[in-house]
Amino acid sequence: VWRTALGIMENGVRLTLSKHQSGISRKDICVKYCNLISLISDFLLKLPRVEESRPICSVLEEVRSIYQMILSKEDLRYITHQMESTTRRGILRYIGMRSLQILLSSPDENTSKEETSIFSMG
């Protein structure tokens, strides 16, 4: 694990320095890259843990590819936004399906469909 982490940092710093922009010091470029790596790490640590038995090699390779894929704070914001948006859509779909299920299986004939619909959303 430590070798993979070291490889991610070394390769990232080398790649960042190879794209060196004139007018920006190498130190500033490295600090900026390290800040990005920190943000990516925070993002990954916030993800829910999956209880799945997989070889550590495949997990480390996926983690390495995530670090290579995210090249800026904007990339990270975009991924976070897409994940949150997908979660919201899933929740809204569930609410709609659950409301429909309650409406169709209402055991109390005296309860109006509108009351049941409002009750299911509360």
Side-chain angles (χ1 to χ4, degrees):
V1 173
W2 286 108
R3 287 180 194 218
T4 301
L6 181 62
I8 290 170
M9 286 301 295
E10 286 177 345
N11 294 335
V13 168
R14 278 191 209 108
L15 181 65
T16 302
L17 287 174
S18 70
K19 297 178 181 179
H20 179 72
Q21 301 169 356
S22 60
I24 301 174
S25 73
R26 290 177 181 243
K27 176 187 172 191
D28 291 341
I29 290 172
C30 290
V31 167
K32 184 177 176 182
Y33 178 75
C34 289
N35 288 336
L36 177 63
I37 289 294
S38 178
L39 290 173
I40 296 170
S41 297
D42 290 342
F43 166 76
L44 290 174
L45 289 171
K46 289 178 186 175
L47 294 175
R49 185 174 180 188
V50 177
E51 296 296 328
E52 186 178 320
S53 173
R54 291 180 36 202
I56 191 71
C57 304
S58 68
V59 174
L60 291 175
E61 192 56 42
E62 287 180 14
V63 168
R64 182 184 328 214
S65 68
I66 290 171
Y67 280 99
Q68 290 172 347
M69 180 183 68
I70 301 173
L71 303 175
S72 67
K73 290 179 184 179
E74 290 75 30
D75 290 346
L76 190 56
R77 277 190 217 112
Y78 176 78
I79 292 169
T80 304
H81 175 72
Q82 290 299 314
M83 289 175 65
E84 289 171 353
S85 180
T86 302
T87 299
R88 284 188 204 106
R89 283 194 304 269
I91 290 170
L92 290 174
R93 262 189 239 123
Y94 171 77
I95 289 171
M97 288 188 294
R98 180 69 179 134
S99 298
L100 183 62
Q101 180 187 24
I102 290 171
L103 284 171
L104 294 175
S105 66
S106 179
D108 186 4
E109 294 300 325
N110 295 330
T111 305
S112 72
K113 303 267 186 226
E114 291 82 11
E115 288 173 355
T116 305
S117 174
I118 292 170
F119 178 71
S120 69
M121 293 183 186

